[in-house]
Amino acid sequence: MSSVNLTIDGKPVQAEADATILETARRAGIKIPTLCYLEELNVIGACRLCLVRVEGARALQPACVARVAEGMVVRTNTPDVLQARRLNLELILSNHPRECLTCPRNNNCELQQLAADFGLEEIRFEGEITPYPVDDSSPALVRDPRKCVLCRRCVAVCEQVQGVSAISVQERGFNTIVAPAFLDPLGSVACVNCGQCALVCPTAAIHEKDQTAAVWAALADPQKHVVVQTAPAVRVSIGEMFGLKPGEVVTGKLVAALRHLGFDRVFDTDFSADLTIMEEGSELLSRLKEGGRLPLITSCSPGWIKFIEHFYPALLSNLSTCKSPQQMFGALAKTYYAQKAGIDPADIFVVSIMPCTAKKFEAGRPEMNSSGYQDVDVVLTTRELGKMLKQAGVDFDSLSEEEYDDPLGISTGAGVIFGATGGVMEAALRTAYELVTGETLEPVDFTAVRGMAGVKEAAVNLNGTELKLAVAHGLGNARKVLDAVSSGEKTFHFIEIMCCPGGCIGGGGQPIPTNTEIRAKRIAGIYRADREMPRRKSHENPAVQALYKEFLEQPLGYKSHELLHTHYEPRGQF
Amino acid sequence: MVDSKEWEELLARHRDQPAALIQVLHRAQEMHGYLPREVLKEISAALNVPLSKVYGVVSFYSFFTTSPKGRHQISLCKGTACYVRGTNQLLDQLERELGLKPGETTADGEFSLSVVRCLGACGLGPVMMIDDDVYARVVPERLAQILDNYRLAGRQAKGA
Ligand code: SF4
Ligand code: SF4
Ligand code: SF4
């Protein structure tokens, strides 16, 4: 590609001939405001907040779609440019309910930030507010169409990244709305609850369902023994809510913060991730040995589970029957732990801190009550925990580090890497290799399955058997792998699928912003946390070993089947 | 009634052709009279276009309709002249009389209602059309009687 020379605000810059003015300016350190723009996914020039003046052009140009040219002279901050942008923002705000003080996105809203940056002092137009009511039918997400600026970022992500298209632009003119077909409630359609739409929404028009009140109530109830589990991905992201760098590993501070909130026990989903490896690894080996259905596909990610139930029902028997680590934890907290601690399971209240909105749906699935109670009572996202900590006045960064409680807080590095794409596969290989070969694995790293490539393929030799592996993250990538398997184009033995781009660290419940760069930093944090663990293979987890000895007896045994395994239902594509 | 063989063939001809969406919707509306939910689902599955996109197209073009047409089509003119002479009062009265809003059809399938831009009879406003009959300078009090004529006509036709 040939390159061109132009100037932006008097600064000479070079760019690829097909680059946009926006990309070029950003690379040169010149900030142009945007609202509807989402890199590579949504480039539609709709909001017109990125207008710039191009000398010789009659009208102001939207920088996100306008291309550079040789000799072009661009100005991004002349009075007419600023005035035009301001007018467009005022028009967008003219039918926006300006409830910032009581809004879920207060202080973390792109629209609010733009108004501040533009220095808006008044909004000269008073428009009618969109007539659509709030939709809280989904167990995971709330839609508030009044706050929608019709940027379509959510539509782009749901379609292009997730391959779901649960929502799209409906109706026209003033009645335009982003919604499912027939304006049906989100909870009634084939939405997988991944929350990727909420991550990219610039406003509070789609956000997680806030369940912090239920947790505050449980913490205040003296009758309740409130235990909490933290997913692997939360320890590398919660710091961002308090101004720390993305990917900073803050495990010890997270534990301290939860204890400070008043949880009776602070446990770790990494423990049940190790347990998942014992069960799922055994399942893989048994399917290989006994000619069971292959490829075996992982089942930790509830957005992915709902996706396959809707769109690939023919492959349901390929899924591992293992519950996700969150649900294994819940089942054990109200059985094994209840017995050990001598507490009536009716009094135990299990809270999960998850990077994920789909986990809210998963916890409410009717079959997730193998303890005789709902195994997990409430799921909070990383963002909701951040809010609780702020409400409680926790000065996160100044906390001193603390340790998880025994026994459900003991884990290995294999548990923590569940948080990144490829992690479940790698953790399973670390254990399967040693169980099959009887040799110690050195080094333990399987780097071929790491990284942000959408689909990763690898092979590994297990005592003479060549195991073919695939890893996909983001459901659009999952479709590619599943289509290749269904058509017979490819054969694999074991496939890991995570619903969200980057794996759980990029989940729909994570701090906003979550973008490619931040995902990469969180992944680096996950592998740092892994390296720092004294034990890095699930079968070496002493608390898991004790669990089998005292309670479960053996992987895939009778009790395991009762508590740790599940089944799936086809749901129909609509 | 819909010729199900013709319908199946139409879908089969456009299997996995998202670009044919508008064309297929047109044909479907001709065949079914309107575009009910089940028909849109069949189109979505056959052409491989997500249902949310299919409905997006249907709800964007006013040509497409998702509710069955009544036996009698009421059109109210909301052009400026008719509007100032009381289209809104007529709309209110129709809603009281039939429980009907623009774009809807009564539960008994007798009437459907639409609002149109300008029928070009501005001197006669407010203008209402039922099927091919034009009613000029309609006042709310006259509505009940006008509607009754059509109900009666329907009953007589059935009885005959
Ligand atoms: S969405 Fe943003 S701008 Fe709108 S009320 Fe909430 S914080 Fe304010
Ligand atoms: S939660 Fe996921 S599937 Fe549902 S609308 Fe949002 S992006 Fe689409
Ligand atoms: S819901 Fe959010 S992301 Fe989607 S169009 Fe509206 S403002 Fe944009």
Side-chain angles (χ1 to χ4, degrees):
Chain A
M1 181 63 61
S2 58
S3 67
V4 297
N5 295 290
L6 64 158
T7 72
I8 305 182
D9 296 341
K11 190 170 166 180
V13 288
Q14 226 179 28
E16 302 273 295
D18 68 344
T20 63
I21 296 178
L22 180 68
E23 291 158 5
T24 310
R26 285 197 173 166
R27 220 169 293 124
I30 294 166
K31 186 174 163 192
I32 297 174
T34 56
L35 180 60
C36 66
Y37 176 79
L38 196 60
E39 199 174 347
E40 283 175 18
L41 291 175
N42 199 49
V43 186
I44 58 176
C47 73
R48 306 195 83 77
L49 296 186
C50 65
L51 291 177
V52 294
R53 169 160 295 294
V54 174
E55 259 170 44
R58 260 184 307 141
L60 299 180
Q61 303 288 311
C64 68
V65 287
R67 312 247 162 223
V68 295
E70 181 61 39
M72 191 182 246
V73 177
V74 180
R75 301 295 306 265
T76 74
N77 55 8
T78 54
D80 60 331
V81 164
L82 300 187
Q83 201 191 344
R85 288 180 189 161
R86 178 186 307 245
L87 179 72
N88 291 336
L89 184 59
E90 277 185 74
L91 286 170
I92 291 168
L93 284 167
S94 68
N95 68 353
H96 189 88
R98 302 191 287 275
E99 304 165 351
C100 301
L101 289 182
T102 51
C103 180
R105 289 290 293 271
N106 190 15
N107 258 338
N108 186 22
C109 169
E110 289 182 39
L111 190 60
Q112 190 186 45
Q113 187 62 49
L114 284 163
D117 288 352
F118 282 27
L120 283 196
E121 288 177 345
E122 59 166 347
I123 288 147
R124 287 166 293 173
F125 320 100
E126 206 51 66
E128 227 177 296
I129 304 282
T130 317
Y132 296 109
V134 168
D135 171 9
D136 66 354
S137 60
S138 155
L141 295 154
V142 178
R143 293 170 51 241
D144 186 349
R146 298 173 312 139
K147 292 181 181 167
C148 177
V149 297
L150 299 175
C151 69
R152 303 174 186 217
R153 283 157 52 159
C154 56
V155 176
V157 164
C158 189
E159 179 181 11
Q160 298 172 49
V161 177
Q162 297 299 55
V164 173
S165 283
I167 48 176
S168 190
V169 183
Q170 315 295 354
E171 308 287 338
R172 65 187 297 174
F174 180 69
N175 290 324
T176 308
I177 179 174
V178 169
F182 309 101
L183 313 193
D184 282 348
L186 191 63
S188 72
V189 304
C191 156
V192 305
N193 304 305
C194 69
Q196 290 300 311
C197 49
L199 270 191
V200 299
C201 182
T203 72
I206 302 186
H207 57 86
E208 71 282 0
K209 185 166 266 182
D210 188 314
Q211 293 176 295
T212 54
V215 176
W216 284 121
L219 288 171
D221 183 345
Q223 190 62 37
K224 291 262 180 261
H225 182 77
V226 189
V227 306
V228 64
Q229 59 169 324
T230 62
V234 177
R235 69 207 66 203
V236 296
S237 66
I238 182 78
E240 294 164 37
M241 303 276 302
F242 299 90
L244 302 182
K245 282 202 283 301
E248 201 167 321
V249 185
V250 292
T251 319
K253 290 185 198 291
L254 171 61
V255 174
L258 290 165
R259 235 174 240 133
H260 180 87
L261 283 183
F263 286 100
D264 294 301
R265 289 290 180 280
V266 181
F267 290 139
D268 198 354
T269 316
D270 291 16
F271 163 84
S272 43
D274 280 335
L275 179 62
T276 302
I277 290 303
M278 297 305 291
E279 293 289 326
E280 196 164 319
S282 308
E283 191 181 7
L284 174 65
L285 296 179
S286 111
R287 287 202 197 190
L288 284 169
K289 208 161 89 201
E290 276 143 41
R293 178 105 171 203
L294 291 171
L296 178 70
I297 313 181
T298 58
S299 57
C300 317
S301 166
W304 148 240
I305 295 299
K306 190 154 185 271
F307 178 85
I308 183 174
E309 288 178 326
H310 281 299
F311 301 112
Y312 291 87
L315 295 178
L316 282 176
S317 54
N318 290 79
L319 278 181
S320 162
T321 59
C322 287
K323 286 181 184 173
S324 72
Q326 142 162 300
Q327 293 304 142
M328 286 196 183
F329 179 95
L332 289 175
K334 293 191 182 182
T335 53
Y336 173 64
Y337 170 71
Q339 276 174 29
K340 232 176 136 79
I343 300 170
D344 181 352
D347 291 333
I348 296 184
F349 193 89
V350 176
V351 176
S352 306
I353 312 297
M354 294 284 140
C356 179
T357 45
K359 290 279 171 194
K360 290 177 184 277
F361 167 79
E362 181 184 50
R365 288 178 72 121
E367 66 274 20
M368 294 299 173
N369 62 353
S370 27
S371 64
Y373 304 87
Q374 181 169 326
D375 296 330
V376 172
D377 291 283
V378 176
V379 176
L380 298 182
T381 58
T382 313
R383 293 196 292 275
E384 287 164 272
L385 175 63
K387 283 183 184 179
M388 281 185 82
L389 295 175
K390 284 182 185 175
Q391 285 165 28
V394 171
D395 180 1
F396 191 81
D397 198 22
S398 69
L399 293 169
S400 14
E401 306 198 349
E402 295 180 17
E403 298 279 339
Y404 283 107
D405 287 309
D406 230 7
L408 308 187
I410 309 298
S411 68
T412 73
V416 82
I417 59 175
F418 267 59
T421 165
V424 178
M425 174 70 70
E426 181 170 344
L429 292 176
R430 288 182 190 175
T431 287
Y433 183 88
E434 297 206 352
L435 294 188
V436 171
T437 64
E439 291 165 20
T440 307
L441 180 66
E442 276 308 333
V444 300
D445 301 334
F446 279 95
T447 47
V449 295
R450 296 185 181 182
M452 283 295 277
V455 177
K456 292 164 279 189
E457 293 180 25
V460 56
N461 193 316
L462 270 196
N463 243 9
T465 316
E466 163 108 321
L467 273 195
K468 289 196 175 137
L469 314 169
V471 172
H473 54 118
L475 296 171
N477 292 321
R479 271 189 192 277
K480 290 181 200 157
V481 174
L482 298 177
D483 289 342
V485 167
S486 304
S487 70
E489 183 197 324
K490 295 224 162 127
T491 27
F492 298 109
H493 297 97
F494 190 30
I495 301 176
E496 176 201 294
I497 294 182
M498 289 293 157
C499 173
C500 292
C504 309
I505 51 87
Q510 289 285 61
I512 296 172
T514 289
N515 54 37
T516 311
E517 194 187 324
I518 291 175
R519 286 184 163 99
K521 290 184 177 158
R522 292 182 193 149
I523 289 177
I526 287 281
Y527 290 114
R528 248 190 334 274
D530 169 32
R531 279 196 304 276
E532 282 159 15
M533 294 298 282
R535 296 187 188 83
R536 298 181 62 196
K537 299 165 204 157
S538 298
H539 56 284
E540 292 177 353
N541 181 330
V544 169
Q545 290 167 349
L547 169 68
Y548 278 112
K549 205 146 101 222
E550 296 166 13
F551 187 70
L552 292 175
E553 292 171 11
Q554 59 183 16
L556 306 184
Y558 172 75
K559 269 226 166 78
S560 291
H561 271 293
E562 206 180 350
L563 293 175
L564 309 182
H565 291 259
T566 186
H567 56 272
Y568 312 101
E569 309 273 350
R571 289 173 189 270
Q573 73 176 110
F574 301 114
Chain B
M1 258 317 20
V2 184
D3 178 341
S4 64
K5 186 156 161 267
E6 196 188 341
W7 173 235
E8 295 299 331
E9 276 169 14
L10 177 75
L11 293 180
R13 214 167 34 251
H14 297 287
R15 189 155 294 282
D16 293 320
Q17 291 178 9
L21 179 60
I22 296 208
Q23 184 191 337
V24 171
L25 287 171
H26 262 275
R27 201 57 205 107
Q29 183 157 307
E30 269 168 31
M31 293 168 70
H32 298 262
Y34 69 111
L35 295 169
R37 199 177 261 262
E38 287 312 313
V39 164
L40 294 184
K41 285 183 179 174
E42 285 181 66
I43 293 175
S44 162
L47 273 63
N48 196 10
V49 180
L51 189 61
S52 65
K53 304 263 163 208
V54 173
Y55 188 75
V57 170
V58 168
S59 62
F60 184 84
Y61 294 106
S62 53
F63 170 81
F64 293 125
T65 168
T66 53
S67 49
K69 288 255 188 315
R71 270 181 289 280
H72 303 291
Q73 176 65 36
I74 309 174
S75 311
L76 267 187
C77 179
K78 217 176 178 181
T80 316
C82 289
Y83 183 77
V84 295
R85 295 185 197 198
T87 306
N88 270 354
Q89 284 89 303
L90 282 182
L91 275 174
D92 288 347
Q93 182 66 21
L94 273 173
E95 191 172 348
R96 271 196 295 274
E97 200 83 31
L98 299 175
L100 199 56
K101 288 205 178 74
E104 293 177 352
T105 300
T106 50
D108 61 3
E110 198 76 59
F111 297 103
S112 42
L113 172 64
S114 59
V115 168
V116 294
R117 267 301 153 221
C118 181
L119 289 167
C122 304
L124 305 175
V127 175
M128 174 173 82
M129 279 185 77
I130 299 185
D131 302 334
D132 294 326
D133 310 327
V134 180
Y135 294 88
R137 299 204 182 89
V138 189
V139 289
E141 297 72 45
R142 268 178 66 202
L143 266 179
Q145 194 209 331
I146 297 177
L147 294 174
D148 264 352
N149 283 335
Y150 289 85
R151 288 204 184 93
L152 199 61
R155 272 200 295 278
Q156 276 165 352
K158 235 184 273 168

